[in-house]
Amino acid sequence: MSAPKKLFIKTYGCQMNVYDSERMAEALGEKGYVEAKTADDADMILLNTCHIREKAAEKIYSELGRFKGLKAAKPDLKIGVAGCVAQAEGQEIMRRQPMVDLVVGPQSYHRLPEMETKIRQGEKALDTDFPEEDKFEKLKSRPKAKRGPTAFLTVQEGCDKFCAFCVVPYTRGAEVSRPADRILTEARDLVERGVREITLLGQNVNAYHGAGENGDLTLAQLIWQLDKVDGLERIRFTTSHPNDMMDDLIEAHGTCTKLMPYLHLPVQSGSDKILKRMNRSHTAESYLRVVEKIRAARPDILLSGDFIVGFPEETEADFQATLDLIEEVNYGTAYSFKYSTRPGTPAAERPQVDDAEASERLQRLQALLSRQQREIQESMVGREVGVLLEKPGRLPGQMVGKSDYLHSVHVSDCNREVGDLARVRIMASSTNSLAGELIR
Ligand code: 5AD
Ligand code: SF4
């Protein structure tokens, strides 16, 4: 028997790409591929790419450039590009980097095994369709090997919102929800393999409306079904749109003990003028009202957000409105970006904000967000939290895991197993993590 072929996948961008990479590895596993630890060691390299901002997309071409030497040394090496850059720039990738053998969009990766056969015969393979068939149905059920205690599970994909800055509706396609029974089967499989925490993924996860036994389920109804899965200890979901934050989901944050007190709820801007131009279909006020309701249901919830500064026509006053909104919400963590022009999106054609001005605003915004993050982390000191232990720490006897609020916690003197859910007293806060001790 010949030695197994080795596959190296490098993943960029969002958590959905992390999930997709796992599924692609499983699909190619059927063709005898095992994981390569490094690109140097691989028979096939796949880049699972992100197109959300210009920098992310450009990175792919420079990364591909670096593989030239590898390919020269090992002519049988196959190189593929998957994900959202593949979807958006398919042909262009093959033109700019002729050594690329395979390009596969996010909706077609169930076809990877056939594509692999084709490229092994020396042909090129390109598939950026939005096929009728459902890739999840076409993928075989997942293997049973043991795995770490946390996992992502895609429940909904695509987006119909068409924010004026965003490529997702074009790269991931229209919004589709997976049927509930498939998700539950996948969740049970994951739990059997050692998973204790599942993060439900979707570009608009709270717009989930997958088929159930008696009609469509909301995300909250799906969460309540998952709540019944024995051995599953924690449920999270991301990313939510403020307009789809329905009452049953808000309520679940107060009543479902497996649902963790953390919510990623992007607002993008605090200025109603900019929100309108972004086609966000909510206002600063309506966002704040949603936040208020969530905090009424779960007062200790940690909120996280996404912000874009320097969106076309953003004035200093608009930017100030964003700072005001941040002051009002008080975020535990946040992701903030300078607006990046994406060809083909409506905002790309509009008058752009001066780049130096946008950079300066981003700095001010990040200073405020960092202060809030630090203060909220410091407020954890002295509190008792749940920590799901994920791996040994660097110090002897130490273990590392995530708190209910998704803070990284280093637990000292921790003679427990990976996958245990420990009760921990937080003793100290540092820049990006907390330190704590087991409550015995
Ligand atoms: N420029 C900057 N940031 C963007 N995002 C999406 N599109 C752009 C863009 N063109 C940000 C949004 C979104 C997050 C995933 O990325 O804040 O919520
Ligand atoms: Fe992009 Fe807006 Fe859809 Fe989020 S809601 S994926 S920002 S278009």
Side-chain angles (χ1 to χ4, degrees), residues 385-405:
V385 295
V387 175
L388 179 63
L389 299 168
E390 291 178 17
K391 56 183 182 201
R394 261 183 291 146
L395 303 178
Q398 188 189 54
M399 290 187 82
V400 187
K402 295 271 169 31
S403 79
D404 304 335
Y405 306 93

Side-chain angles (χ1 to χ4, degrees), residues 159-163 165-169 203-204 241 268 280:
C159 181
D160 297 335
K161 299 265 194 295
F162 290 93
C163 297
F165 48 81
C166 186
V167 291
V168 167
Q203 266 92 26
N204 263 298
H241 193 285
Q268 315 296 357
R280 286 290 293 177

Side-chain angles (χ1 to χ4, degrees), residues 15 149-152 196-197 199 233-234 236 260-262 302 333 335 377 380 384-392 399-411 414 418-424 426 432-435:
Q15 294 153 323
T150 64
F152 295 126
R196 295 288 165 262
E197 171 182 306
T199 302
E233 312 260 13
R234 285 173 152 188
R236 304 181 185 276
M260 290 295 102
Y262 178 100
L302 189 142
T333 179
Y335 306 87
Q377 264 187 222
M380 293 284 158
E384 185 185 321
V385 295
V387 175
L388 179 63
L389 299 168
E390 291 178 17
K391 56 183 182 201
M399 290 187 82
V400 187
K402 295 271 169 31
S403 79
D404 304 335
Y405 306 93
L406 212 53
H407 287 123
S408 264
V409 184
H410 293 79
V411 188
C414 188
V418 166
D420 280 359
L421 192 56
R423 295 301 300 169
V424 171
I426 301 299
N432 287 315
S433 64
L434 301 171

Side-chain angles (χ1 to χ4, degrees), residues 20-268:
D20 287 348
S21 290
E22 264 188 41
R23 304 300 316 252
M24 287 194 279
E26 289 166 9
L28 287 168
E30 285 168 37
K31 300 220 63 179
Y33 279 88
V34 297
E35 187 192 338
K37 293 280 177 239
T38 65
D40 295 347
D41 198 25
D43 302 294
M44 169 133 99
I45 300 173
L46 265 184
L47 299 182
N48 192 8
T49 62
C50 172
H51 200 245
I52 198 96
R53 283 168 291 274
E54 192 182 354
K55 254 197 218 145
E58 274 309 311
K59 224 191 273 172
I60 301 310
Y61 289 101
S62 51
E63 185 76 35
L64 285 171
R66 262 176 273 162
F67 294 147
K68 261 197 192 121
L70 280 183
K71 185 115 174 175
K74 200 196 246 183
D76 277 349
L77 172 67
K78 300 296 175 196
I79 294 182
V81 180
C84 292
V85 178
Q87 188 63 44
E89 300 183 9
Q91 289 286 359
E92 171 75 4
I93 298 171
M94 294 236 181
R95 200 187 54 75
R96 272 178 74 175
Q97 291 287 359
M99 61 162 175
V100 170
D101 301 286
L102 174 155
V103 170
V104 60
Q107 300 314 334
S108 304
Y109 63 69
H110 56 292
R111 295 177 176 165
L112 265 175
E114 298 155 37
M115 296 174 82
E116 194 268 350
T117 307
K118 204 167 156 190
I119 62 174
R120 283 286 156 212
Q121 290 161 355
E123 292 174 53
K124 302 257 177 199
L126 181 138
D127 192 336
T128 51
D129 288 353
F130 287 104
E132 280 297 312
E133 78 267 16
D134 174 357
K135 67 179 170 196
F136 297 112
E137 298 310 297
K138 296 282 166 193
L139 289 166
K140 296 253 159 55
S141 67
R142 308 190 69 168
K144 300 286 177 221
K146 275 276 167 220
R147 46 165 299 154
T150 64
F152 295 126
L153 202 176
T154 293
V155 302
Q156 177 274 343
E157 195 174 352
C159 181
D160 297 335
K161 299 265 194 295
F162 290 93
C163 297
F165 48 81
C166 186
V167 291
V168 167
Y170 313 96
T171 57
R172 290 272 170 180
E175 198 173 305
V176 177
S177 294
R178 296 177 66 192
D181 61 340
R182 301 301 157 132
I183 295 165
L184 287 161
T185 305
E186 202 172 318
R188 286 191 203 100
D189 278 358
L190 288 167
V191 169
E192 259 178 54
R193 294 170 62 193
V195 169
R196 295 288 165 262
E197 171 182 306
I198 291 181
T199 302
L200 307 175
L201 298 181
Q203 266 92 26
N204 263 298
V205 72
N206 55 345
Y208 176 82
H209 55 94
E213 264 171 32
N214 309 307
D216 280 4
L217 262 63
T218 62
L219 183 66
Q221 288 166 333
L222 178 69
I223 288 169
W224 282 112
Q225 297 277 316
L226 285 161
D227 183 66
K228 291 190 227 149
V229 174
D230 279 341
L232 180 63
E233 312 260 13
R234 285 173 152 188
I235 304 168
R236 304 181 185 276
F237 60 88
T238 197
T239 290
S240 298
H241 193 285
N243 284 5
D244 294 316
M245 214 53 222
M246 298 309 168
D247 285 345
D248 61 346
L249 186 57
I250 294 176
E251 223 173 89
H253 272 290
T255 47
C256 179
T257 47
K258 289 188 184 178
L259 186 58
M260 290 295 102
Y262 178 100
L263 179 67
H264 183 58
L265 196 63
V267 65
Q268 315 296 357

Side-chain angles (χ1 to χ4, degrees), residues 261-395:
Y262 178 100
L263 179 67
H264 183 58
L265 196 63
V267 65
Q268 315 296 357
S269 168
S271 150
D272 287 344
K273 178 192 97 187
I274 294 297
L275 286 169
K276 202 165 172 97
R277 291 184 189 177
M278 286 177 163
N279 193 30
R280 286 290 293 177
S281 62
H282 61 79
T283 60
E285 188 50 41
S286 70
Y287 178 86
L288 290 170
R289 272 204 307 273
V290 172
V291 166
E292 205 176 296
K293 273 183 162 176
I294 295 161
R295 287 217 165 110
R298 180 79 203 224
D300 62 338
I301 199 159
L302 189 142
L303 288 172
S304 146
D306 287 347
F307 300 90
I308 296 179
V309 302
F311 186 76
E313 300 166 272
E314 183 189 72
T315 62
E316 177 59 29
D318 294 319
F319 175 65
Q320 190 55 51
T322 304
L323 296 180
D324 292 346
L325 179 137
I326 294 172
E327 288 283 7
E328 192 146 346
V329 174
N330 198 21
Y331 288 94
T333 179
Y335 306 87
S336 49
F337 315 96
K338 200 159 70 170
Y339 170 69
S340 168
T341 311
R342 306 313 288 128
T345 58
E349 308 299 327
R350 301 185 194 158
Q352 306 290 312
V353 169
D354 173 67
D355 188 61
E357 179 83 35
S359 299
E360 191 267 341
R361 285 182 195 161
L362 184 62
Q363 268 187 18
R364 279 154 66 200
L365 180 110
Q366 289 182 337
L368 172 58
L369 288 167
S370 306
R371 194 197 77 209
Q372 292 190 340
Q373 176 172 339
R374 195 185 61 241
E375 286 173 1
I376 288 184
Q377 264 187 222
E378 280 165 2
S379 75
M380 293 284 158
V381 176
R383 286 187 52 187
E384 185 185 321
V385 295
V387 175
L388 179 63
L389 299 168
E390 291 178 17
K391 56 183 182 201
R394 261 183 291 146
L395 303 178

